[in-house]
């Protein structure tokens, strides 16, 4: 254990997903492939939307490109460090590196939650007030909503880091995870952390739960509206809402499980963490593109355009 003046912990030891060297090599290959899929999938969505003028003018795809950008950045916070740790015995992270990881994890995670709430509002206006959709969801409002999401993520994240940085760390320095997160770090503090835990649960847990409930209510209103008012175009709208609800569930259920409870450990915690930080960012591009005709058409156009510039196809 590395300490400064025998009182202050300056680095943490990450226990990771496994202590078996053979299993770590196998996990390295698996997560490397998943990371490549995350980068390529989300980057493809960002490039496709930005390259297609029709999609870029649509608020839904404007928000989708930002969602993919956040997923891309979110995976970069934890996965590269995890891949590097698979190839070495000593898995350590400095105290400042740990704080940075917590900051960016919660900054991007909270921004994504707020963005998903904005996307639900966008679908509500499009389906429940179609005649006023383009007037309400104008480009200026879209920009302001995205900016508000970033600001909300910053406020949430800086609050987390501010609470942690004031805690004294003078004893054990082993984190039972493959990255730094609030629940594991707080448990290592050399003081009674009950009040801090309550504040953290109020900050992260309630944020996740409230956003999740608002999203579920919004989509319930949308589905009721589709059932009672519209017949034409119902299939496409239902498909879009189903995609959004799937993504919402994949993101919010793990977050509610991790943060909306006292900071005690469960055997399944690491699995939930992997799902939230790796699996969900990998699945989001598939969910949004497999059943989306507009995205498929735009990707085909982008492919033909790229082929025309580089090689004859």
């Amino acid at each position: 254990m590395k300490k400064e003046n025998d009182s202050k912990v300056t680095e943490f030891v990450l226990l990771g997903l496994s202590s078996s060297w053979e299993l770590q090599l196998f996990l390295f290959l698996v997560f490397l492939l998943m990371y490549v899929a995350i980068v390529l999938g989300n980057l493809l969505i960002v490039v496709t939307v930005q390259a297609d003028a029709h999609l870029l003018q649509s608020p839904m795809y404007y928000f989708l490109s930002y969602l993919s950008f956040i997923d891309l950045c979110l995976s970069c916070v934890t996965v590269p460090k995890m891949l590097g740790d698979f190839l070495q015995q000593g898995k350590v992270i400095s105290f400042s590196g740990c704080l940075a990881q917590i900051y960016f994890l919660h900054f991007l995670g909270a921004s994504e939650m707020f963005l998903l709430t904005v996307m639900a509002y966008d679908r509500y206006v499009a389906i429940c007030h179609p005649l006023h959709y383009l007037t309400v969801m104008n480009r200026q409002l879209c920009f302001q909503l995205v900016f508000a999401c970033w600001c909300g993520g910053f406020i949430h994240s800086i609050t987390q880091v501010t609470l942690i940085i004031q805690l004294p760390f003078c004893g054990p320095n082993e984190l039972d995870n493959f990255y730094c997160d609030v629940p594991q770090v707080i448990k290592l503090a050399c003081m009674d952390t009950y009040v801090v835990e309550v504040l953290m649960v109020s900050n992260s847990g309630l944020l996740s739960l409230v956003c999740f409930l608002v999203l579920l209510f919004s989509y319930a209103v949308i589905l009721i509206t589709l059932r009672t008012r519209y017949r034409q175009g119902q299939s496409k709208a239902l498909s879009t809402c189903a995609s959004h609800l799937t993504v919402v569930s994949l993101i919010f259920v793990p977050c509610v499980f991790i943060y909306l409870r006292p900071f005690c450990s469960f055997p399944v915690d690491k699995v939930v963490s992997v799902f939230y930080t790796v699996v969900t960012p990998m699945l989001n591009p598939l969910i949004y593109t497999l059943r989306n005709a507009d995205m498929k058409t735009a990707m085909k156009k982008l492919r033909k355009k790229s082929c025309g510039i580089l090689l004859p196809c």
Side-chain angles (χ1 to χ4, degrees):
M1 185 187 305
K2 186 179 178 183
K3 299 181 182 180
E4 188 176 274
N5 298 330
D6 295 327
S7 63
K8 186 178 180 182
V9 173
T10 58
E11 65 181 24
F12 294 105
V13 177
L14 302 172
L15 298 184
L17 297 178
S18 173
S19 58
S20 168
W21 178 247
E22 291 78 12
L23 182 57
Q24 286 189 85
L25 290 177
F26 172 74
L27 291 174
F28 171 79
L29 293 174
V30 171
F31 283 104
L32 178 61
L33 292 175
M34 294 175 74
Y35 184 55
V36 171
I38 291 171
V39 173
L40 294 180
N42 286 288
L43 196 59
L44 178 61
I45 288 182
V46 173
V47 172
T48 301
V49 173
Q50 294 297 320
D52 191 290
H54 173 69
L55 292 184
L56 194 57
Q57 290 174 1
S58 168
M60 184 179 77
Y61 294 107
Y62 177 77
F63 294 136
L64 177 59
S65 66
Y66 275 100
L67 181 67
S68 293
F69 176 72
I70 291 176
D71 277 335
L72 178 62
C73 295
L74 188 61
S75 66
C76 294
V77 175
T78 58
V79 181
K81 170 66 176 168
M82 177 176 61
L83 291 174
D85 287 343
F86 281 140
L87 301 178
Q88 55 189 5
Q89 294 293 341
K91 305 173 180 64
V92 297
I93 185 170
S94 66
F95 184 77
S96 58
C98 185
L99 288 179
Q101 202 169 52
I102 290 173
Y103 171 78
F104 285 107
L105 181 72
H106 284 268
F107 170 58
L108 294 167
S111 298
E112 184 168 42
M113 290 182 183
F114 292 133
L115 184 59
L116 286 168
T117 308
V118 167
M119 292 175 74
Y121 174 71
D122 170 69
R123 289 300 85 203
Y124 167 78
V125 176
I127 293 172
C128 299
H129 303 284
L131 297 179
H132 302 95
Y133 177 62
L134 293 178
T135 304
V136 174
M137 298 302 295
N138 56 69
R139 180 47 60 91
Q140 183 180 1
L141 179 62
C142 291
F143 175 80
Q144 290 172 345
L145 289 172
V146 170
F147 181 72
C149 291
W150 290 118
C151 291
F154 172 77
I155 293 170
H156 164 76
S157 184
I158 205 68
T159 303
Q160 302 281 88
V161 174
T162 301
L163 288 172
I164 290 176
I165 206 169
Q166 298 179 41
L167 297 175
F169 296 95
C170 54
N173 67 339
E174 290 187 344
L175 296 174
D176 189 18
N177 211 333
F178 59 93
Y179 66 95
C180 282
D181 201 5
V182 174
Q184 292 83 23
V185 173
I186 281 184
K187 287 191 295 185
L188 299 181
C190 303
M191 62 173 284
D192 182 8
T193 58
Y194 176 77
V195 175
V196 179
E197 289 182 27
V198 171
L199 290 173
M200 291 294 185
V201 169
S202 301
N203 191 1
S204 297
L206 288 181
L207 173 66
S208 304
L209 182 63
V210 170
C211 287
F212 189 38
L213 293 177
V214 168
L215 284 163
L216 291 180
F217 177 76
S218 300
Y219 284 113
V221 172
I222 291 172
L223 293 174
I224 291 171
T225 302
L226 283 172
R227 185 176 180 181
T228 56
R229 292 188 190 177
Y230 304 108
R231 296 297 175 194
Q232 252 184 343
Q234 191 180 67
S235 177
K236 183 178 179 180
L238 282 173
S239 178
T240 302
C241 289
S243 299
H244 287 203
L245 275 172
T246 303
V247 171
V248 164
S249 300
L250 289 174
I251 291 173
F252 280 92
V253 172
C255 288
V256 170
F257 176 80
I258 292 174
Y259 299 113
L260 195 65
R261 60 178 169 84
F263 290 161
C264 54
S265 299
F266 292 105
V268 76
D269 281 355
K270 289 184 183 180
V271 177
V272 176
S273 297
V274 168
F275 202 86
Y276 170 64
T277 58
V278 183
V279 177
T280 300
M282 182 185 68
L283 292 179
N284 282 356
L286 296 176
I287 294 169
Y288 277 113
T289 57
L290 284 179
R291 300 176 62 186
N292 191 310
D294 292 335
M295 283 297 297
K296 289 179 181 178
T297 302
M299 285 179 180
K300 288 178 182 177
K301 288 181 181 178
L302 180 63
R303 178 178 173 273
K304 290 179 180 178
K305 187 176 180 181
S306 301
C307 287
I309 296 174
L310 298 175
L311 293 169
C313 295

